[in-house]
C-alpha cells in the first residue's frame, strides 16, 4: 500500500505539500487535462444539452433501478450470460473466487475496474493463491509498486517517468535510468503480452450496461479489456448496480461525454460491446450493491449515483490537484469520493467533506450534473450528526453562535479582539497554535468597527441638522 | 426604495473601509441605505462546519432583521449565497424567507441588474487583476465560469470597465479558487496556502498592480500571503475601487 496510512486528509495533504515542486507538477499535469476537456467540450455547441440529457437519463434510471436491473438480468440471461447478485464486497469476491475455482483458474488478467478496487478483489484473490495482473498500464505500474491508484481514470498520474523507470527496473529488469517513455511502454507491452497469453480468465469492469439489450460496454484506451477477454474462454464482468442505462439509444450521449470529460478525447480509443459469451465460453456478470441502495434511498445523496466515473471532478478540483489522490485514503478520491466514502464509513472518512473549499467547480464540470459541492456541504452536517466532529471544531461554533445572537456582546468582544490584535507582541500572535499565521500575515486591526463609524456618522448628521 | 446594507461580520470588524465604501458608493448613486444595527453574522461559518443547529438561530435572526426592506445589498458574494441558497437547508416553509431570498443582492449584481448603472465618475489608471470569488461566480452566477459552455459575461468586470484608465491583467487561470474556503484556510492550511500562492503567481505574471474581488475573505487570505512574501501587489475590495477610494500604499 501507499506510504500514506492516515485517514486524516489535512495530515496527508500537508505531507504531499512538503515537496512543492512535485505539488506544482501534479497540479499542472491535471490542469493540462482540465484545459483539454474545456477545449473539447466547447467544441460541441450541444455540450450543455448533452449534460442535461445524461443527467435526466441517469436520474430516471436510478429512480426505477430495480425495474431496470430485472430487465437487464432477463435480457442478459437470454443471451447466455450468467448473472450474479452481490449485496456487498465480500459476496462479490466470493462469487468471483467460486467461478475461478470451478475453472481451476490460477492466472487472471484484469482490465481497469474501480469496483474491484472498491471490493479489494486483488488481495483477496492473491490470498487464495491466484495471480491477478492489472493490464491497464497505469494500473500495472501502481500494482507493481503495491500502491492503490491515485486517480480513477489515470491511476499513476502521481508518478513521474523516473518513478516508472525505477519501478520497471526493479520488477521488469529494464535498464536502470532509462526514462524514455517509448522504451518503458514497450517493456510493459512485452511483459503484459506474456500475461495475456497465459491467462485462464479475464476480468473487466463495466462502464455502461444496457437494460434493453442485456449487453454492456467497456471503455479503454489501450485495448487491454478486449485482449484480456479474447484469449481466455471465461470473462467475468464486475459492475456496480448504478452503471445501468435504459436503452442502447442512450449510449451515444454517455460515450460522447465520458471521454471528453475524462481526458479531453472525443471518445475512448476502444468502446467494446459485449453481448453474450464466446462460443464454448462463459460470460459472467456480477451485479454489486455494496451500499448503493442505501444511497439510492437518500434524497440528499441520490444524485451521486449518477456518476459515470469520468474523473473530471478530480481534474478540476483545486484541492485534489494540490494534495494528490492518496491523501484521500480511499478507492475513489476527489469530490465524488469525498461523498461516497463518508456515506459508507463516516468514522474513517470524516475529514473528506472538509477537504474542499466549496468552490463549486466540480458541480459545473460534472457531465451528469451531480451537485457535488452542495452534497459535500450537506455531508458536513451528517458527519456532525454521526458525532464524528471533534469538540475542537464544534465548541468554537457553539460559542460563536452564542455571541452572534447578542449584538452588544459581539460588538464588545470585537473591540477587545481588535485591541489585542493591535497591541499584542508579534510572537504571541504568530505562535504555533495559529495556523493562519504560519505562512500568512493577519489582517491589520482597525481602531473602530464599521458599526462604530456608522453610528458616529449618523450622530454627526443629526447634530449637523 | 428602502435598501438595507448587510455588512458581513468580519468586514464590520476588520475591514470597515470596505463597508464604508459600499455605503458611500450606494449613496453617491442616490440610494437611500440603512444599516440595521442588530445584524451580526449570517451563520455561514457554522453551517460550513457542519454545525447546522448553531447556524439556525442566526438564520432566523437574519430573516427577522432584514424582512420588510425592498432590497438587501452586501459586499460579499459568499455571504449573499449563504442567505440566498443555503438558508433553505435551515428554514423550512418560512414565508418571510421566501420573499427575502429574492431581495438580497451582492453589490455588483445590485449595481448592474437593479440600478443598471452605465457610468462611474472614477479614474483608476491601474492594471487590475480581478479575482473571481467562487461563490459569487458559481453560486450567484455573477460571471460565466470556464467549466460551462455558455456565453461569456462578467458583472464585476463590466463595472470596473466603466472606470477611466483601467486595464485588466490577463490570467492564465481565470477562475481558479484562491484556497480561502472559510475554516478550510485553517484546517487545511498547507493546501490553502499553496492555492493562494498559485493565484498570486498568476497575477504576478499577468502584471496585476491592484488585486480586487467581490469578497474580502478571498482577499484577506491572498493579502496575508502577499504581505508575508512582500509581493508588489496592492489589494482592494471592488467597492473601494468603484467608490473612488485611494489605492492603499
Amino acid at each position: 500500500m501507499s506510504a500514506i496510512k492516515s485517514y486524516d486528509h489535512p495530515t496527508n495533504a500537508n505531507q504531499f505539500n512538503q515537496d512543492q515542486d512535485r505539488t506544482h507538477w501534479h497540479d499542472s499535469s491535471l490542469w493540462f487535462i482540465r484545459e483539454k476537456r474545456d477545449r473539447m467540450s466547447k467544441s460541441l455547441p450541444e455540450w450543455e444539452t448533452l449534460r442535461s440529457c445524461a443527467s435526466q437519463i441517469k436520474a430516471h434510471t436510478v429512480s426505477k433501478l430495480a425495474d431496470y436491473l430485472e430487465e437487464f438480468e432477463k435480457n442478459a440471461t437470454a443471451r447466455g450470460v450468467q448473472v450474479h447478485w452481490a449485496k456487498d464486497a465480500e459476496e462479490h469476491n466470493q462469487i468471483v473466487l467460486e467461478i475461478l475455482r470451478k475453472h481451476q483458474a490460477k492466472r487472471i488478467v484484469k482490465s481497469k475496474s474501480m469496483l474491484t478496487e472498491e471490493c479489494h478483489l486483488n488481495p483477496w484473490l492473491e490470498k487464495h493463491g491466484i495471480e491477478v495482473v492489472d493490464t491497464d498500464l497505469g494500473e500495472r505500474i501502481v500494482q507493481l509498486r503495491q500502491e492503490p491508484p491515485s486517480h480513477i481514470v489515470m491511476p499513476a498520474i502521481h508518478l513521474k517517468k523516473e518513478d516508472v523507470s525505477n519501478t520497471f527496473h526493479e520488477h521488469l529488469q529494464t535498464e536502470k535510468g532509462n526514462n524514455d517513455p517509448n522504451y518503458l511502454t514497450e517493456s510493459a507491452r512485452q511483459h503484459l503480452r506474456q500475461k495475456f497469453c497465459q491467462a485462464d480468465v479475464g476480468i473487466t469492469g463495466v462502464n455502461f450496461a444496457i437494460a434493453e439489450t442485456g449487453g454492456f460496454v467497456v471503455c479503454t484506451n489501450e485495448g487491454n479489456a478486449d485482449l484480456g477477454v479474447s484469449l481466455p474462454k471465461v470473462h467475468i464482468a464486475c459492475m456496480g448496480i448504478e452503471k445501468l442505462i435504459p436503452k442502447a439509444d442512450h449510449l451515444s450521449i454517455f460515450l460522447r461525454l465520458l471521454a471528453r470529460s475524462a481526458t479531453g478525447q472525443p471518445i475512448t480509443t476502444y468502446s467494446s460491446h459485449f453481448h453474450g459469451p464466446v462460443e464454448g465460453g462463459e460470460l459472467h456478470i456480477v451485479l454489486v450493491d455494496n451500499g448503493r441502495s442505501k444511497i439510492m434511498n437518500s434524497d440528499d445523496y441520490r444524485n451521486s449515483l449518477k456518476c459515470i466515473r469520468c474523473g473530471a471532478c478530480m481534474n478540476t478540483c483545486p484541492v485534489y490537484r494540490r494534495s494528490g489522490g492518496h491523501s484521500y485514503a480511499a478507492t475513489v478520491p476527489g469530490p465524488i469520493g469525498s461523498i461516497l466514502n463518508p456515506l459508507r464509513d463516516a468514522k474513517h472518512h470524516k475529514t473528506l467533506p472538509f477537504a474542499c473549499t466549496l468552490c463549486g467547480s466540480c458541480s459545473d464540470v460534472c457531465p451528469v450534473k451531480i451537485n457535488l459541492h452542495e452534497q459535500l456541504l450537506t455531508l458536513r452536517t451528517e458527519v456532525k450528526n454521526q458525532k464524528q466532529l471533534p469538540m475542537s471544531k464544534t465548541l468554537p461554533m457553539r460559542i460563536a453562535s452564542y455571541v452572534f445572537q447578542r449584538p452588544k456582546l459581539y460588538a464588545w468582544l470585537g473591540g477587545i479582539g481588535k485591541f489585542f490584535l493591535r497591541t499584542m507582541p508579534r510572537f504571541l500572535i504568530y505562535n504555533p497554535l495559529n495556523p493562519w499565521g504560519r505562512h500568512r500575515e493577519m489582517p491589520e486591526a482597525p481602531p473602530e468597527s464599521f458599526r462604530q463609524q456608522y453610528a458616529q456618522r449618523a450622530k454627526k448628521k443629526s447634530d449637523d441638522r | 426604495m428602502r435598501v438595507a446594507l448587510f455588512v458581513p461580520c468580519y468586514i464590520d470588524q476588520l475591514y470597515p473601509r470596505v463597508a464604508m465604501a459600499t455605503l458611500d458608493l450606494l449613496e453617491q448613486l442616490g440610494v437611500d441605505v440603512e444599516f440595521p444595527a442588530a445584524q451580526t453574522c449570517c451563520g455561514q461559518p457554522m453551517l460550513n462546519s457542519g454545525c447546522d443547529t448553531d447556524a439556525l438561530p442566526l438564520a432566523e435572526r437574519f430573516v427577522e432583521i432584514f424582512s420588510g426592506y425592498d432590497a438587501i445589498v452586501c459586499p460579499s458574494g459568499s455571504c449573499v449565497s449563504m442567505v440566498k441558497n443555503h438558508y433553505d437547508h435551515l428554514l423550512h416553509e418560512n414565508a418571510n424567507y421566501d420573499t427575502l431570498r429574492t431581495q438580497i443582492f451582492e453589490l455588483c449584481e445590485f449595481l448592474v441588474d437593479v440600478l443598471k448603472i452605465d457610468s462611474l465618475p472614477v479614474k483608476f489608471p491601474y492594471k487590475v487583476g480581478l479575482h473571481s470569488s467562487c461563490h459569487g461566480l458559481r453560486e450567484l452566477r455573477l460571471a460565466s465560469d470556464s467549466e460551462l459552455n455558455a456565453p461569456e459575461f462578467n458583472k464585476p468586470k463590466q463595472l470596473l470597465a466603466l472606470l477611466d484608465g483601467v486595464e485588466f491583467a490577463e490570467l492564465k487561470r481565470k477562475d481558479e479558487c484562491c484556497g480561502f474556503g472559510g475554516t478550510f484556510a485553517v484546517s487545511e492550511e498547507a493546501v490553502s496556502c499553496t492555492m493562494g500562492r498559485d493565484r498570486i503567481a498568476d497575477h504576478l505574471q499577468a502584471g496585476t498592480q491592484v488585486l480586487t474581488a467581490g469578497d474580502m475573505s478571498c482577499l484577506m487570505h491572498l493579502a496575508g500571503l502577499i504581505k508575508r512574501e512582500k509581493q508588489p501587489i496592492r489589494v482592494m475590495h471592488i467597492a473601494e475601487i468603484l467608490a473612488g477610494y485611494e489605492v492603499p500604499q
Side-chain angles (χ1 to χ4, degrees):
Chain A
M1 293 295 278
S2 142
I4 293 168
K5 293 256 166 47
S6 163
Y7 279 106
D8 189 61
H9 187 272
T11 307
N12 299 339
N14 184 28
Q15 196 179 322
F16 191 78
N17 274 260
Q18 293 304 311
D19 186 345
Q20 283 275 304
D21 287 345
R22 208 177 174 93
T23 307
H24 280 123
W25 167 80
H26 190 260
D27 167 59
S28 320
S29 311
L30 289 159
W31 185 256
F32 175 77
I33 297 160
R34 158 71 214 272
E35 283 189 314
K36 222 168 122 193
R37 170 261 167 217
D38 290 354
R39 279 198 302 280
M40 288 307 291
S41 67
K42 287 184 172 60
S43 72
L44 293 186
E46 69 273 34
W47 180 255
E48 297 301 331
T49 312
L50 284 175
R51 284 179 76 221
S52 298
C53 289
S55 174
Q56 285 166 22
I57 292 167
K58 276 286 181 182
H60 167 80
T61 316
V62 172
S63 75
K64 289 182 178 295
L65 195 58
D67 296 344
Y68 282 122
L69 282 167
E70 275 181 33
E71 189 186 342
F72 175 74
E73 182 184 32
K74 194 180 99 219
N75 292 329
T77 310
R79 290 176 179 275
V81 179
Q82 299 182 42
V83 179
H84 309 261
W85 299 83
K87 72 170 191 300
D88 54 24
E90 229 178 339
E91 265 192 27
H92 161 265
N93 292 350
Q94 194 63 49
I95 290 166
V96 174
L97 182 66
E98 271 166 27
I99 301 168
L100 298 181
R101 278 190 174 150
K102 197 180 95 188
H103 293 277
Q104 293 170 334
K106 286 281 162 208
R107 283 179 295 260
I108 313 302
V109 281
K110 191 173 120 252
S111 88
K112 215 165 85 53
S113 145
M114 290 319 289
L115 179 79
T116 58
E117 287 287 340
E118 174 187 320
C119 296
H120 302 293
L121 180 69
N122 286 15
W124 158 266
L125 292 181
E126 281 158 9
K127 204 174 80 187
H128 288 88
I130 291 163
E131 181 195 72
V132 200
V133 173
D134 277 310
T135 57
D136 172 271
L137 180 55
E139 284 276 344
R140 185 60 184 149
I141 295 166
V142 293
Q143 190 185 26
L144 290 172
R145 296 169 64 91
Q146 295 188 301
E147 280 177 12
S150 74
H151 187 290
I152 60 171
V153 175
M154 295 160 283
I157 189 75
H158 60 294
L159 296 172
K160 297 187 175 185
K161 56 184 187 219
E162 294 79 18
D163 303 320
V164 176
S165 171
N166 290 338
T167 307
F168 281 7
H169 172 67
E170 189 185 329
H171 297 277
L172 308 181
Q173 289 76 49
T174 55
E175 245 173 71
K176 194 173 170 58
N178 189 336
N179 301 335
D180 175 32
N182 286 329
Y183 168 71
L184 295 172
T185 312
E186 187 54 32
S187 312
R189 261 175 108 89
Q190 295 305 331
H191 156 74
L192 283 172
R193 187 149 298 252
Q194 213 181 359
K195 299 293 178 187
F196 279 124
C197 292
Q198 295 167 342
D200 305 314
V201 170
I203 298 180
T204 69
V206 169
N207 287 91
F208 304 100
I210 302 146
E212 178 192 41
T213 65
F216 63 91
V217 177
V218 181
C219 303
T220 69
N221 273 324
E222 298 163 22
N224 54 310
D226 283 16
L227 199 51
V229 300
S230 296
L231 298 173
K233 284 285 181 198
V234 182
H235 173 186
I236 307 172
C238 306
M239 68 175 258
I241 51 174
E242 83 287 9
K243 292 279 173 174
L244 218 54
I245 55 172
K247 291 179 182 299
D249 266 357
H250 299 147
L251 191 61
S252 62
I253 295 171
F254 291 97
L255 289 180
R256 297 182 80 196
L257 285 167
L258 178 68
R260 283 181 171 87
S261 298
T263 56
Q265 293 166 268
I267 194 160
T268 42
T269 317
Y270 297 84
S271 306
S272 313
H273 297 242
F274 298 95
H275 289 91
V278 289
E279 221 180 290
E282 287 180 16
L283 175 54
H284 297 263
I285 295 179
V286 191
L287 294 160
V288 186
D289 183 325
N290 208 27
R292 286 162 175 78
S293 49
K294 199 181 114 198
I295 298 176
M296 200 172 74
N297 291 326
S298 147
D299 289 341
D300 287 330
Y301 308 111
R302 185 176 305 124
N303 250 336
S304 62
L305 290 183
K306 290 180 186 170
C307 177
I308 58 171
R309 301 290 191 271
C310 67
C313 61
M314 290 157 212
N315 302 343
T316 205
C317 177
V319 179
Y320 176 93
R321 278 188 263 116
R322 292 177 185 81
S323 58
H326 287 158
S327 66
Y328 293 78
T331 307
V332 180
I336 184 68
S338 298
I339 295 170
L340 298 175
N341 296 296
L343 284 179
R344 204 166 285 143
D345 179 358
K347 184 168 180 280
H348 281 121
H349 299 292
K350 59 181 176 243
T351 59
L352 295 188
F354 297 89
C356 161
T357 60
L358 300 173
C359 78
S361 180
C362 50
S363 303
D364 279 357
V365 93
C366 177
V368 288
K369 293 194 174 184
I370 301 173
N371 54 338
L372 289 149
H373 79 290
E374 286 170 18
Q375 290 191 36
L376 285 167
L377 175 59
T378 314
L379 247 181
R380 294 176 180 189
T381 300
E382 179 73 25
V383 171
K384 186 253 333 189
N385 290 342
Q386 293 200 21
K387 307 216 180 313
Q388 296 300 335
L389 267 190
M391 186 101 116
S392 60
K393 297 222 162 140
T394 55
L395 190 64
M397 291 304 157
R398 198 170 313 152
I399 295 169
S401 174
Y402 181 89
V403 173
F404 284 136
Q405 288 173 61
R406 290 158 182 82
K408 282 184 184 149
L409 178 64
Y410 150 81
W412 183 70
L413 286 172
I416 292 183
K418 289 201 295 296
F419 174 76
F420 278 114
L421 201 52
R422 278 199 313 275
T423 54
M424 270 209 305
R426 196 175 162 84
F427 74 93
L428 281 179
I429 296 173
Y430 294 91
N431 63 49
L433 290 172
N434 173 7
W436 179 277
R438 216 165 287 158
H439 296 284
R440 287 167 291 214
E441 288 297 299
M442 302 281 286
E444 263 175 58
E448 284 167 338
S449 63
F450 171 73
R451 64 188 57 230
Q452 284 170 311
Q453 293 181 6
Y454 184 83
Q456 283 159 15
R457 204 179 82 141
K459 189 171 174 293
K460 193 165 170 288
K461 264 191 187 170
S462 73
D463 288 351
D464 288 349
R465 247 178 247 148
Chain B
M1 188 163 58
R2 261 185 90 216
V3 174
L5 178 63
F6 161 34
V7 175
C9 49
Y10 74 99
I11 291 189
D12 173 38
Q13 291 298 325
L14 297 170
Y15 300 100
R17 191 174 185 251
V18 173
M20 202 48 94
T22 308
L23 183 63
D24 282 348
L25 176 63
L26 290 169
E27 286 182 349
Q28 282 164 29
L29 294 166
V31 184
D32 189 14
V33 191
E34 278 176 52
F35 173 76
Q39 64 176 290
T40 54
C41 167
C42 64
Q44 193 192 57
M46 293 82 203
L47 188 70
N48 281 9
S49 306
C51 301
D52 56 340
T53 45
D54 296 318
L56 175 65
L58 300 179
E60 284 170 341
R61 274 190 93 239
F62 189 97
V63 172
E64 210 180 290
I65 292 165
F66 285 97
S67 283
Y69 289 95
D70 299 315
I72 304 149
V73 182
C74 169
S76 158
S78 188
C79 303
V80 169
S81 179
M82 168 71 183
V83 174
K84 207 179 180 84
N85 300 317
H86 301 299
Y87 273 14
D88 228 8
H89 294 289
L90 303 166
L91 306 167
H92 305 289
E93 290 168 30
N94 180 322
N96 282 345
Y97 170 57
D98 290 341
T99 318
L100 181 138
R101 71 188 300 181
T102 63
Q103 294 170 322
I104 184 159
F105 298 93
E106 187 272 342
L107 176 65
C108 296
E109 191 180 29
F110 185 72
L111 299 179
V112 171
D113 296 344
V114 181
L115 298 186
K116 299 188 184 349
I117 65 164
D118 51 14
S119 69
L120 272 171
V122 175
K123 236 189 195 159
F124 201 71
Y126 294 95
K127 197 162 192 184
V128 172
L130 177 62
H131 174 70
S132 280
S133 298
C134 301
H135 289 171
L137 184 68
R138 300 193 188 86
E139 292 198 338
L140 297 179
R141 303 286 174 202
L142 300 181
S144 53
D145 67 4
S146 54
E147 292 88 5
L148 295 182
N149 193 351
E152 278 201 35
F153 68 99
N154 190 324
K155 293 175 190 176
K157 194 172 176 181
Q158 192 183 324
L159 290 168
L160 288 167
L162 298 175
L163 308 186
D164 194 14
V166 80
E167 219 191 311
F168 290 102
E170 286 302 321
L171 300 171
K172 284 184 179 159
R173 301 186 188 184
K174 71 171 187 132
D175 52 16
E176 172 117 311
C177 175
C178 69
F180 172 68
T183 52
F184 179 90
V186 173
S187 66
E188 291 263 4
E189 186 259 350
V191 179
S192 173
C193 287
T194 303
M195 286 170 69
R197 276 193 216 101
D198 288 352
R199 290 317 293 140
I200 294 164
D202 200 357
H203 282 279
L204 285 170
Q205 68 79 29
T208 294
Q209 290 175 302
V210 177
L211 171 63
T212 192
D215 268 277
M216 205 53 224
S217 49
C218 309
L219 293 176
M220 174 168 73
H221 162 65
L222 293 171
L225 287 162
I226 287 170
K227 199 169 168 202
R228 177 66 62 89
E229 292 170 14
K230 301 189 173 59
Q231 302 289 4
I233 293 180
R234 305 281 163 217
V235 178
M236 284 175 94
H237 188 275
I238 194 164
E240 296 174 286
I241 299 182
L242 298 177
Y245 281 25
E246 291 284 308
V247 177
Q249 290 309 314

